[in-house]
Amino acid sequence: MDWMKMPPLASLKAFHAFAETGNVVQAGALLNVSHAAISQQLRALERHLGAALLDRSGKSMVLTAEGEKLARALHLGFGAIGDAVADLMHFTEDRPVHVSLTPSFAASWLMPRLPAFQADHPDIPLMLDPSPKQVDLRPGGVEVAIRYGNGNWPGLNAELLLQSPIVIVAAPSLLKGRGAMTPDELSQLPWLEELGTTEASSWLARQGVKHGPRAGRIALPGNLVLEGLRSGQGVSVTVRHFVEPDIQAGRIVELFCEPGEGGYYIVTGDVPLRPAVKVFVGWLRRQTGRM
């Protein structure tokens, strides 16, 4: 198709509206423009095509043979476009809100709150993708991510949801009465870390320990890391918010705290959000009082 020869879309829409209604006033109302604007577009279309589409000799304008031919083509073309758009809009309305988040956040923070969301919004299905891997955010794929960091992700919109520092923790049964321990001493104990991450080695390296855990390392889903941590199976790096009650109750000992402004962020692509996604993001904000 030679797009340079195609008339402007506005003039084709005006002509189609006139062909449907047979009246410039009604055509203007259909397109929310004045009847004078419709008349201007009709004349512009005739000039572009070099053909008379309307017979203006009588009291009212009627389509010429050329106009009838174009009207039939536009009826088929705009009809097909309208049907496709309606199908796509229906598809996007029914499609679940696809959310990427870490397993630990899903198990410790989101899942206990989801029954309230489902009760308030039974018509909005969710698809949770618990994975530590960062994913691309795009229409038709993952639309919302909840990630830990400082919120500085170029090309994405990041809104703080939950601020909480990173802590190094272990159960008293693993520490066997030992209080303060150096990072090197901690490296002699077994460690637990979330699947797909290298949190143990990364933290030890930041503390100047050149080797990883000496007594072994077990990679587990986020919810199992917390269970293993509480039962004394290893030291772990986690977000304080998830283990705050355990620390206060003495079930877990906080050994180190990472300074900084880290937290969990609601992350979306720099694109318009579907209504269902907006509802879910708004609900997330209300869970922590952030509006």
Side-chain angles (χ1 to χ4, degrees), residues 129-239:
D129 183 8
S131 170
K133 296 181 180 179
Q134 293 189 7
V135 298
D136 292 332
L137 300 178
R138 55 183 176 80
V142 176
E143 297 169 286
V144 182
I146 303 175
R147 291 299 181 206
Y148 191 90
N150 60 10
N152 185 22
W153 293 289
L156 298 174
N157 297 317
E159 178 182 348
L160 182 63
L161 173 66
L162 175 68
Q163 189 167 14
S164 185
I166 293 290
V167 293
I168 312 303
V169 288
S173 59
L174 179 69
L175 300 176
K176 300 185 186 307
R178 288 172 288 186
M181 298 181 67
T182 67
D184 188 65
E185 289 172 330
L186 285 175
S187 73
Q188 310 305 316
L189 298 176
W191 282 67
L192 307 173
E193 64 184 7
E194 193 164 340
L195 276 169
T197 70
T198 57
E199 294 170 332
S201 297
S202 297
W203 183 82
L204 289 170
R206 290 198 299 273
Q207 308 309 310
V209 180
K210 296 182 179 180
H211 56 78
R214 296 285 196 186
R217 170 173 38 199
I218 302 176
L220 301 164
N223 59 321
L224 296 183
V225 169
L226 296 179
E227 289 184 18
L229 174 65
R230 293 170 182 134
S231 64
Q233 296 180 33
V235 183
S236 185
V237 182
T238 188
V239 177

Side-chain angles (χ1 to χ4, degrees), residues 10 13-15 17-18 23-29 31 33-44 61:
K13 287 171 60 178
F15 181 78
F18 174 82
N23 184 287
V24 291
V25 175
Q26 294 179 23
L31 297 181
V33 297
S34 68
H35 70 278
I38 295 293
S39 296
Q40 290 174 0
Q41 291 291 351
L42 295 178
R43 291 189 181 279
M61 292 189 298

Side-chain angles (χ1 to χ4, degrees), residues 61-143:
M61 292 189 298
V62 295
L63 299 179
T64 63
E66 290 83 358
E68 291 280 3
K69 180 179 180 180
L70 181 58
R72 287 193 296 271
L74 292 179
H75 177 76
L76 292 173
F78 282 129
I81 293 172
D83 290 344
V85 169
D87 287 345
L88 286 172
M89 291 182 68
H90 179 70
F91 171 75
T92 57
E93 288 172 359
D94 292 342
R95 182 161 50 86
V97 177
H98 196 164
V99 185
S100 173
L101 69 175
T102 62
S104 56
F105 186 90
S108 300
W109 192 92
L110 185 59
M111 291 302 295
R113 292 170 169 82
L114 275 188
F117 177 82
Q118 293 173 322
D120 291 341
H121 306 284
D123 56 327
I124 299 180
L126 299 177
M127 180 187 299
L128 302 185
D129 183 8
S131 170
K133 296 181 180 179
Q134 293 189 7
V135 298
D136 292 332
L137 300 178
R138 55 183 176 80
V142 176
E143 297 169 286

